[in-house]
Amino acid sequence: MATGYFPGCSLEGTAAEFDMSIRCLAQALDLELREIDDWNCCGASAAHQTNHLLGLALPARTIALAAAQGLEEIFAPCAACSNRLIAAQAEWLGDAGVRAEVERAIDMALPAAPVPVRNCIDFLLPHIEKIKTAVTRPLAGKKVACYYGCLLVRPPKVLAFDDPENPTSMETVAAATGAEPVAWGFRTECCGAAFAMSSTASVERLCERILVNAKAEGAHMVIVACPLCHANLDMRQPKGMALPVLYLTQLVGLAVGVAPKALGLKKHITPVAAAIA
Amino acid sequence: MARIGVFICWCGENIGRTVDCPKVAAEAGGFPGVVHAVDYKYMCSDPGQGMIKDAIKEKKLTGVVVAACSPRMHEPTFRRACAEAGLNPFLCEMANIREHCSWVHEEKGDATAKAVQLVRVMVEKVKRNEALFPIKVPVTKRALVIGGGIAGIQAALDIANGGQKVVLVEKEPSIGGHMAQLSETFPTLDCSQCILTPRMVEVAAHPNITLHTYAEVESVSGFIGNFDVKIRLKARSVDIKKCTGCGLCAQKCPQKKIPSEFDEGLGMRTAIYTPFAQAVPNKPVIDRAHCTKFLTGKCGVCQKVCPVGAVDYAQEDTFVEEKIGAIVVATGYRLYDFRNGEKDYGIEGYGEYGYGQYKDVIDGLQFERLASASGPTGGAILRPSDGKAPETVVFIKCVGSRDCAKGLSYCSKICCMYIAKHAMLYKHKVHHGTAYVFYMDIRAGGKNYDEFVRRAIEEDGAVYIRGRVSRIYTRGDKLIVAGADTLLGGAAGGRVEIEADMVVLATAMRPQYGIEALAQKLSIGYDEYGFLTEAHPKLRPVETNTAGIFLAGACQGVKDIPEAVGQASGAAAKVLGLFSSDQLEREPIVARVNQSQCVGCFYCEQVCPYHAIEREEKRDKAGNLIARVAKVNAGLCQGCGACVATCRSNSIDLDGFSEEQVFSEIGGLR
Amino acid sequence: MAMLLARKNLHALLRGAMEKKYRVVGPTRTAGIVLFAELSDPGALCLDELNTQNSIKEFFFPKSETLLTYTLGKKDVAIADDFAPPRTVLIGGRACDARSLVALDRLFGWDYKDKFYFKRREATCVITLACDRFDEACFCTSLGFGPRATEGSDILLVPAEGDAYIVEAVTDKGRALIAELEDVFTEGTPGAEKVAYPEKKFDLAAVKPWLERNFDHPIWKEEFLSCLGCGTCTYQCPMCHCFDIVDEGDIHGGARCKNWDSCQFALFTLHTSGHNPRPAQASRWRQRLRHKFVYYADKFGTEACVGCGRCIRNCPVRLSILDKLVLIGREAAAAPAPPAGAQPRGVTKRWRATTSIFRI
Amino acid sequence: MIEQLRQRARELLGEGKVALVIGHGRGSSPQATFPVFITKADAVDRLVFNPFCRNNLAVYLTRKDIMPKGAVGLVARPEEVRSVAVLVQEQQFDADRVVLIGVACAEPGKEGAACEMLKGRTLKELEAEVAERLKGRDPAQDVAARVKELEAMTPEQRLAFWEKEFSRCIRCYACRQACPMCYCERCIVEKNQPQWIPSSARPLGNYFWNVIRAFHLAGRCIGCGACARACPMGIPLDLLNAKVAREVKESFAYEAGFDHEVPPPMASFRTDDEQEFIK
Amino acid sequence: METTTAEFEPKIIAFLCNWCTYAGADLAGTSRLKYPANIRAIRLTCTGRIEPMFLLKAFQEGADAVLVSGCHPGDCHYTSGNYHARRRWTVFRKLLEFSGIDPRRVLFSWVSAAEGRKWSELVAEITAQVRALGPFTSFERIVKA
């Protein structure tokens, strides 16, 4: 069962540590990941708003490549990427016309059967037992606030991943590390994502609400599975607040004994060291 | 030789506009066997019916075809008219040239041509109609009422007071239903139990009423006037004849931490218990699922302490069989389960309200228990988590109702009123507290209803916010209610966040669990939500499509108390009407077996949903068995015709829809 | 010197007839069986089988004949009954088939002259083929004629040495046809006839009296139980001629049809009352035999059986009329006719008393 | 084997367990066996059995003029066993009215194929035994193959095909009379008020008759092929039956004649029966 | 053929159960939903009453297609009529198809008393479909013969 790895642009830039943590976690749990050869941008946020066909064609090409390279599923860690891949695929699966148009656009044949696309949580879930056994540094006593944001669970009808209002999958994975997920209210609230540049103020307001509530519920750190969420929450912490924000893969990485450096924990703006000590 | 009269109705403009009625009449006049064909503005009017009656007499008609609206609309009307003119009503048929023709087609030529054919079809059918005569069946004058809530109680009392026998079946240990749980009732704020309990006692004492509590309807067979009902009396583990209801057993029961159903889980009860103080009968039952004796075999305290030795662990379910003439279904409602959602009904539920993970988010009935003097808090409004009096309470309406995305599309109707009542009761008990109400609309159409809501707002100062709540989450011991106030400026309205101590969800009214199964047993219909369907939404609201079975209360649709009581009395009146004669007449659309052709494979017996097929043995003079053949019990037969279509040798036919009639109808379409 | 038809000219003969606008009917193979049917072209003729599945009667007395059609009007009924059969050459029948026509002529012309039957007879020229072989079901010789008998034929073709048929013009109709198609025939010295005669299997003379004498006899109880009651024997029989007249149609009108019927059907004698004078297959078989060898013989001076054997070959349970006739012949020989007047009444009571297996 | 068969018959008749044994009798050739009815123990030698015994003897079990009051012994090939199962299932007689003498041939119709007695005595045992024997092997593959051929055609072509086949039908009803399941007192084709099926041997009536006949065998036909063999005009009626039987099997997972205790498929239903074809 | 199908108006004979589809068609009427006039409805008690012979007779009388419609599963006024009907049609339509009747001329649907819209859309849809198929000449040939 070969899994195609689709890092996407974020993981080569702002979210490099996400990529690092994934690669060494995969090694630790010995999960085979084959990076899709010649993958391209998923077109998140920009493309599908400017040109619909483009918004379909970009994911299409990557998926077609994966299929052509004999990959049975795609692991797209970036929530925006997985979201786009799934959404786009859903469109041509339901409509032969669209499929034809897209195939013309990319000048490649799309796989007849849907190629399963997994987000970060979805990718780890099946290996939960493996993780439990691999845990060498149980994170007992660490209270974590699992944060989903919007892209992982919405639109529910298309993604069909977990409960959009009250998801629990990330908690399940986090709990496997021995950490203790807290019940809090902002797990699926928007972090401002795409407005990071255009409307910093509102992003700050949104992030504040999220972080404040997480802290209020006693969380020692916030766990995310999306580069955009991470960037926003890690970067835009309100005055006097220093609540570390970790990628789920980093959390698991720690538990299974990967060195913090290897997980890129040093790259974060909000220092992590204290929280994980 | 047939002498058929054809009457084409214009229905004013309704048919006349798209169908050339005079032309249809003219064409019909040319059909073989038609001796009279006319058209007229309103056939259903007095003069219209008069034309039919006169023609029957003058032209000696042997059959009548009225081409007008749907037979489902006016067939009874015209058949009655024919009967009045001395023609057997079943020699009258209707051609539907309105609903099936003039209203759905635009091109006049097409519509007219189609109308002509539809008339021809009915002419050919009616030529082969036979005079039929209503079937008389005897009536057992004993009614069964299913459900001992206020609707069931009302129906039972009305029937009993009308001098007829009633069997009342309630699945809980006591009658009273949800009304017994309520604190005060809108719009008068009089104490629910004070007005209900006397009725409960009256039921228990009534000579005409046999009461079976902690019992369920096991099976129903038979038909109007002659139902055979089997009732399961669940093992109470207490001999109610011996039991004096002293309550000692409950006091001594060591198993005290069972969430009380009656208190909606806000209070606790013992394993041997009477649901509430004024229960009728006031006799306990043992909840075997929680009783130590039944779980571990040890204990047995209640038996030891019972002064009259009424406790009987060996008791088993028993059955009683009753002959019943009419049935009133009054199984009532339950509340939408916002905690678990209702996935089996394809309903998502409310994750954003925490799926019940927050103790202080409760539903309407729980609030009733908090507000009730007989409740777990003795009527003090204290929040479940820590027993503090909530300073701020948020009421959210339309939870699970009017919400196609997450819940049910219908309006739960009574919530506007009870939420207003709740806000009011809260303010009366926590004077300095604030009551916020999130609403979509205020629906207070009822006598003194709107006035009542205004009082809640204007006199008791409940804060009404028009909008929905998008999320409830906790901050410390507070509940943060985040929503929108659509009356605040801005297209999207304004976001509001309220820091509340308690949230009350006005969850939708739903039919009781198991309603579908019961409906199957009774072979009556139910809608997509499980509400039982009435025979006609306007004109036959308390009858079902199965003769002799009536509906009362919330099992048929969302109702408040006065409506439920009103419908219950209506159902009771229907039952009394039915019982006013010793025999009753049924439409004679029934199957008949040609026994000389029947080969007795009894496929018919297997497809008949009413067990109307019986076996009859044919013997020769010497008494030797020649053959076993089928026979239709006309009393049981509802005339569906499944047997007819199943019979290979076609030895069964259906009166009113016979083989010959249908073939000729098809012929009419050549 | 005789008139000859070279075997190779057989097709020429048919082609000639077709060119002369005759409908040509003969044995042809369809779906694995050989049937009398209209021939699309001479090549379709198939003489492999000794005998066809169906008999030629359906070209004179079809399985379903429309006597008239009607249309139901407002008051009146409109009737149409024009009838003109096509000129036909019917080739490939056997002597037994041809003989059946003679017998049928008597039946259909006896009191009321059946116009449909006779118009077809007149319009049809029957060219018969004498048999050069027979099988175990054949018994024409037992009925007092043979495979080269001429009755009923208009032309008889007798296979002879030298790959030719000796042509015998039997009737004027036959001669006329020969004249019409003369160039296919030749004059010549015929070779020896190749005609095969089945042996005689029972004594016909004994059958009728025995049947008359033994309305009640153990044979009836025991020999016919396996009969399924289908109409195969009677429908394939060239002589069976029972029919039923039914109106078929819908509310608009329809047709009055004369359809084959069979004495082997339970319905054949079922009374409206529900009583059936022939309650069992055995009694229907007895009727079949007595009709063929007693009643018909009495009325028309010949048996209503030509020994073609179709009923035997086609019976689903191999219930053979020949076997039964042989059996009856034996019975007759064993118990010769008693002096007139004496009737074995007692038998009747005994079998009525026994169980239903034997009730006929 | 034949001796065992005769011995069983002899016992049954001798001990008065049955009043009549129905079996196959010797004809002029091995190919030409025919049904025989034996009432005396000393006449059992008339019984034979070989691969050419193809008549479905169960057809006689519903013939009122043949059936005695007592029990009947029936020489029962798998075809008869299954037929009896259906007849009992359809209440035509009680299982104890018929004593089955189970026989079977390895390859029916094949010269010299091995024949043997079946072990089962009761109907239930024989049902199971026959089901076991038939498991995996489809006795009528040729038929199935021809059904597939037809299915490959367009509806128009099929209609033309059947039109031609049915045109030969002479309405002799040999198909019906040879079929054990056609036990109706008054066949539907004889119903004339109103007339169901035109009785004239014409295209419409022939089409109706043959289609309805096949439909009336839905979930009942056990595929013995008696109808097709009986047809004097060589109409492949078994194709229609086979098609219907296959649809019943695929749609309702039911095959006729293996269990007389279950309800017949056409008189029962499952709430989750397929319905893709319903809009 | 094209020319004939062009102005060809199909005749569709529908057998409806009284409680659901007939009522649904009534609702379509009361809602004034328009649909083609090619459909001719015959009202029966229940789909369970509808015999295969009705369909054959309909074709005999010149129907270009037949429609059988009744209550959705579970909603039968007589509790189980439609379930039995469903089995009957499962087999019979296959038999018809096998004996040469184009399945696109033998149609089935569940239309409830509340589905007036579904009814009007259904009729429009099948009318178009059958119009495209053209007249059922091959069967007419058999009828006329």
Side-chain angles (χ1 to χ4, degrees), chain D:
Chain D
M1 176 265 176
I2 189 64
E3 244 330 296
Q4 295 167 285
L5 170 59
R6 289 174 181 159
Q7 187 49 35
R8 284 265 337 261
R10 197 175 288 115
E11 288 162 15
L12 291 171
L13 287 164
E15 298 161 10
K17 286 213 180 69
V18 301
L20 166 72
V21 168
I22 307 177
H24 304 273
R26 180 182 292 103
S28 54
S29 71
Q31 284 76 359
T33 61
F34 54 83
V36 289
F37 302 78
I38 297 173
T39 53
K40 297 187 194 59
D42 52 30
V44 296
D45 293 345
R46 290 176 58 202
L47 291 171
V48 297
F49 187 73
N50 66 40
F52 303 104
C53 297
R54 303 300 292 277
N55 291 106
N56 188 332
L57 302 175
V59 71
Y60 296 109
L61 296 174
T62 50
R63 295 297 166 90
K64 298 202 165 30
D65 55 341
I66 294 177
M67 296 310 285
K69 301 263 179 299
V72 178
L74 183 75
V75 175
R77 302 164 303 139
E79 288 84 345
E80 277 82 8
V81 172
R82 294 179 64 187
S83 303
V84 169
V86 174
L87 292 170
V88 172
Q89 177 186 36
E90 296 182 352
Q91 330 272 325
Q92 291 310 295
F93 46 78
D94 305 334
D96 58 20
R97 283 271 279 97
V98 177
V99 180
L100 296 166
I101 306 172
V103 296
C105 173
E107 285 174 87
K110 182 161 176 292
E111 185 80 63
C115 297
E116 58 177 327
M117 300 295 290
L118 294 176
K119 284 157 217 58
R121 285 285 193 267
T122 67
L123 177 55
K124 209 153 181 39
E125 292 164 5
L126 282 161
E127 284 171 348
E129 188 174 355
V130 168
E132 194 45 48
R133 278 186 77 90
L134 298 182
K135 191 173 291 163
R137 77 171 120 137
D138 169 11
Q141 276 142 348
D142 51 330
V143 178
R146 281 156 70 211
V147 169
K148 290 230 179 319
E149 283 171 32
L150 273 172
E151 285 170 336
M153 302 180 181
T154 68
E156 289 291 321
Q157 292 168 320
R158 276 195 297 271
L159 192 60
F161 170 84
W162 288 115
E163 206 179 344
K164 188 163 168 298
E165 292 295 325
F166 294 157
S167 69
R168 294 198 302 281
C169 179
I170 52 175
R171 308 295 282 279
C172 65
Y173 302 119
C175 46
R176 177 185 76 194
Q177 297 304 101
C179 176
M181 307 317 163
C182 283
Y183 52 70
C184 286
E185 298 270 320
R186 188 267 333 256
C187 174
I188 195 65
V189 76
E190 286 148 2
K191 174 159 182 164
N192 56 7
Q193 196 50 282
Q195 182 170 62
W196 261 54
I197 298 167
S199 56
S200 303
R202 295 165 180 281
L204 186 69
N206 291 356
Y207 184 88
F208 282 6
W209 159 245
N210 287 289
V211 168
I212 291 292
R213 189 198 65 82
F215 180 68
H216 279 186
L217 287 170
R220 311 172 63 233
C221 174
I222 57 100
C224 69
C227 48
R229 273 193 301 279
C231 180
M233 304 306 272
I235 302 171
L237 300 166
D238 44 355
L239 298 188
L240 290 166
N241 299 353
K243 168 71 175 177
V244 170
R246 204 189 74 208
E247 291 303 331
V248 169
K249 183 178 179 186
E250 287 173 359
S251 305
F252 314 134
Y254 179 93
E255 285 179 283
F258 289 119
D259 185 351
H260 64 280
E261 284 163 350
V262 300
M266 300 313 283
S268 54
F269 65 86
R270 290 172 45 107
T271 51
D272 60 354
D273 280 331
E274 65 166 65
Q275 59 170 45
E276 303 71 38
F277 65 94
I278 304 176
K279 288 189 168 125

Side-chain angles (χ1 to χ4, degrees), chain C residues 98-299:
Chain C
R99 182 188 172 91
S100 72
L101 296 175
V102 182
L104 286 177
D105 291 347
R106 298 180 193 161
L107 181 277
F108 284 111
W110 152 61
D111 52 354
Y112 163 81
K113 202 164 185 308
D114 185 314
K115 76 172 182 197
F116 297 94
Y117 175 83
F118 284 105
K119 278 189 176 176
R120 285 205 173 79
R121 278 287 274 142
E122 285 145 25
T124 308
C125 179
V126 179
I127 306 178
T128 305
L129 239 59
C131 306
D132 53 3
R133 67 210 132 123
F134 58 82
D135 70 12
E136 62 174 16
C138 292
F139 61 103
C140 51
T141 50
S142 312
L143 294 168
F145 70 106
R148 86 180 297 304
T150 57
E151 314 158 77
S153 307
D154 296 301
I155 299 170
L156 177 69
L157 302 178
V158 185
E161 297 298 340
D163 237 359
Y165 296 103
I166 302 166
V167 181
E168 283 183 27
V170 183
T171 63
D172 296 345
K173 204 195 289 174
R175 283 183 208 78
L177 184 73
I178 292 171
E180 237 183 313
L181 308 166
E182 51 189 355
D183 40 11
V184 301
F185 301 97
T186 53
E187 284 293 320
T189 346
E193 291 189 358
K194 294 194 296 182
V195 179
Y197 291 78
E199 77 193 78
K200 197 159 170 296
K201 291 177 176 140
F202 61 88
D203 171 16
L204 179 62
V207 171
K208 181 163 181 276
W210 188 92
L211 286 169
E212 284 169 324
R213 229 173 37 251
N214 296 285
F215 188 86
D216 303 326
H217 189 283
I219 280 185
W220 305 128
K221 318 169 195 172
E222 292 145 14
E223 294 297 321
F224 303 98
L225 292 167
S226 66
C227 176
L228 293 172
C230 72
T232 306
C233 48
T234 51
Y235 281 12
Q236 305 295 60
C237 175
M239 282 301 303
C240 279
H241 47 258
C242 291
F243 59 80
D244 182 21
I245 293 182
V246 294
D247 286 356
E248 280 179 352
D250 56 19
I251 59 170
H252 305 277
R256 174 160 299 171
C257 305
K258 184 172 97 184
N259 297 336
W260 288 354
D261 199 352
S262 169
C263 58
Q264 297 306 297
F265 293 158
L267 243 67
F268 191 73
T269 48
L270 180 63
H271 295 180
T272 316
S273 66
H275 169 66
N276 194 335
R278 296 191 205 127
Q281 273 326 108
S283 53
R284 293 164 201 146
W285 251 87
R286 177 175 59 198
Q287 168 62 18
R288 179 160 164 245
L289 281 163
R290 288 175 66 95
H291 186 193
K292 287 186 176 302
F293 294 92
V294 180
Y295 312 136
Y296 197 90
D298 283 344
K299 195 169 182 57

Side-chain angles (χ1 to χ4, degrees), chain B residues 48-80:
Chain B
Q49 296 190 40
M51 292 169 69
I52 299 174
K53 293 181 194 168
D54 298 343
I56 291 173
K57 300 204 190 78
E58 288 155 19
K59 301 280 177 79
K60 305 195 166 38
L61 299 181
T62 59
V64 165
V65 172
V66 184
C69 50
S70 169
R72 298 171 56 85
M73 177 90 184
H74 267 317
E75 194 176 67
T77 315
F78 292 112
R79 286 191 164 170
R80 206 178 310 112

Side-chain angles (χ1 to χ4, degrees), chain B residues 29-31 34 124 667-668 670, chain C residues 72-75 250-253:
Chain B
F31 297 156
V34 173
E124 292 306 331
R670 154 86 67 79
Chain C
L72 298 171
K74 169 87 172 151
K75 291 189 181 54
D250 56 19
I251 59 170
H252 305 277

